[in-house]
């Protein structure tokens, strides 16, 4: 077994999907359930880590033994992750972060009228994973030794994944094979984990806990 190989380590996991407010009652969101991030948090607790779970809009009970910080938007998730990551040993970004948000949030509910509504203008959200890697490179705080991301790719999984790993500057990139009842909202996942400076690790279809344990194996190996 893996025993308590993460004992004495502080790990940060992000989970769920961000919501970007349009007005007080409406948002732009995504279908992330948070199941993979919660599986990562549970398995890290089981392996002895101190776990901070940054959860965006997840309808799941708090995993026992983890510190849960609930957030809504990409900007909220950024603040919580950067705060928790200072001094942490590893960060795993499993959350589906919206790439864009409405440029302006209406303070009152947008009214229905006979005319077509005004278009919703979007602005880019920060790429939290890339920012974390940039901050680590700048090296002004004890940033995590291991930074991992997730990516959903449908084609050219290896080539697209390797390019993304390099572009973001992270250590591990879990590339999900989407479609065929995998990934979003299902208990199973299948993935290829790309490793900076190493060979990819293929994880066959199975429970999200299994994939989570392989991620922590690779994290623990890099921390050792
Ligand atoms: O570029 P892409 O969205 O495919 O990258 C996915 C990875 O980057 C995930 O780990 C996700 O949590 C992270 N991400 C982020 N900030 C964003 C978009 C994605 O940290 N704005």
């Amino acid at each position: 077994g893996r025993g308590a190989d993460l004992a004495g380590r502080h790990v940060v996991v992000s989970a769920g999907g961000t919501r970007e407010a349009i007005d007080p009652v409406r948002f732009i969101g995504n279908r992330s359930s948070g199941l993979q991030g919660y599986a990562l948090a549970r398995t890290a607790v089981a392996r002895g880590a101190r776990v901070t779970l940054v959860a965006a809009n997840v309808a799941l009970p708090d995993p026992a033994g983890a510190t849960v910080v609930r957030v809504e938007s990409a900007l909220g998730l950024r603040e919580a992750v950067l705060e928790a990551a200072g001094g942490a040993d590893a960060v795993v970004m499993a959350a589906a972060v919206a790439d864009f948000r409405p440029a302006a949030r209406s303070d009152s509910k947008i009214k229905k009228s006979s005319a077509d509504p005004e278009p919703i203008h979007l602005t880019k959200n920060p790429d939290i994973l890339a920012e974390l890697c940039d901050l680590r490179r700048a090296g002004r705080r004890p940033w995590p030794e291991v930074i991992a991301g997730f990516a959903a790719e449908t084609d050219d999984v290896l080539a697209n994944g390797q390019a993304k790993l390099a572009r973001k500057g992270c250590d591990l990139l879990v590339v999900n094979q989407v479609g065929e009842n995998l990934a979003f909202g299902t208990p199973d996942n299948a993935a290829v984990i790309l490793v900076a400076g190493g060979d990819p690790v293929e994880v066959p279809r199975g429970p999200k806990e299994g994939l989570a344990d392989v991620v922590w194996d690779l994290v623990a190996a890099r921390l050792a």
Side-chain angles (χ1 to χ4, degrees):
R2 277 117 168 168
D5 61 348
L6 294 174
R9 302 296 191 179
H10 178 208
V11 304
V12 179
V13 176
S14 72
T18 64
R19 291 178 178 178
E20 310 301 319
I22 297 169
D23 70 15
V25 297
R26 304 184 180 97
F27 59 83
I28 298 172
N30 62 69
R31 296 185 192 282
S32 176
S33 62
L35 287 169
Q36 183 63 65
Y38 274 54
L40 282 155
R42 273 197 307 278
T43 50
V45 169
R47 292 165 71 151
R50 176 158 84 82
V51 179
T52 303
L53 175 61
V54 180
N57 311 296
V58 179
L60 296 168
D62 289 358
T67 300
V68 182
V69 182
R70 294 198 177 260
V71 300
E72 179 166 303
S73 65
L75 293 181
L77 188 122
R78 174 182 175 275
E79 199 175 301
V81 166
L82 292 183
E83 163 80 28
D89 295 289
V91 172
V92 180
M93 285 288 297
V97 183
D99 293 314
F100 310 104
R101 66 178 181 276
R105 171 190 185 280
S106 170
D107 286 332
S108 47
K109 187 181 167 191
I110 297 167
K111 292 271 184 289
K112 176 163 59 187
S113 73
S114 52
D116 280 340
E118 287 300 309
I120 297 169
H121 293 286
L122 300 177
T123 189
K124 264 174 92 166
N125 273 329
D127 186 322
I128 303 157
L129 178 61
E131 189 178 351
L132 206 51
C133 296
D134 288 344
L135 285 165
R136 178 172 66 172
R137 225 172 288 120
R140 272 186 280 279
R141 258 173 90 182
W143 292 107
E145 207 173 317
V146 184
I147 300 176
F150 273 70
E153 301 283 348
T154 49
D155 38 40
D156 280 331
V157 170
L158 282 178
N160 287 330
Q162 289 291 2
K164 190 168 286 185
L165 178 84
R167 190 167 62 242
K168 301 221 187 209
C170 56
D171 307 297
L172 303 171
L173 189 71
V174 184
V175 186
N176 279 118
Q177 284 146 24
V178 289
E180 289 161 50
N181 296 320
L182 285 167
F184 284 122
T186 73
D188 277 9
N189 217 340
V192 180
I193 307 178
L194 303 178
V195 180
D199 293 327
V201 176
E202 201 151 341
V203 185
R205 181 180 185 148
K208 289 181 173 173
E209 269 81 10
L211 175 58
D213 265 323
V214 179
V215 171
W216 293 126
D217 289 346
L218 294 167
V219 168
R222 291 179 91 89
L223 287 174

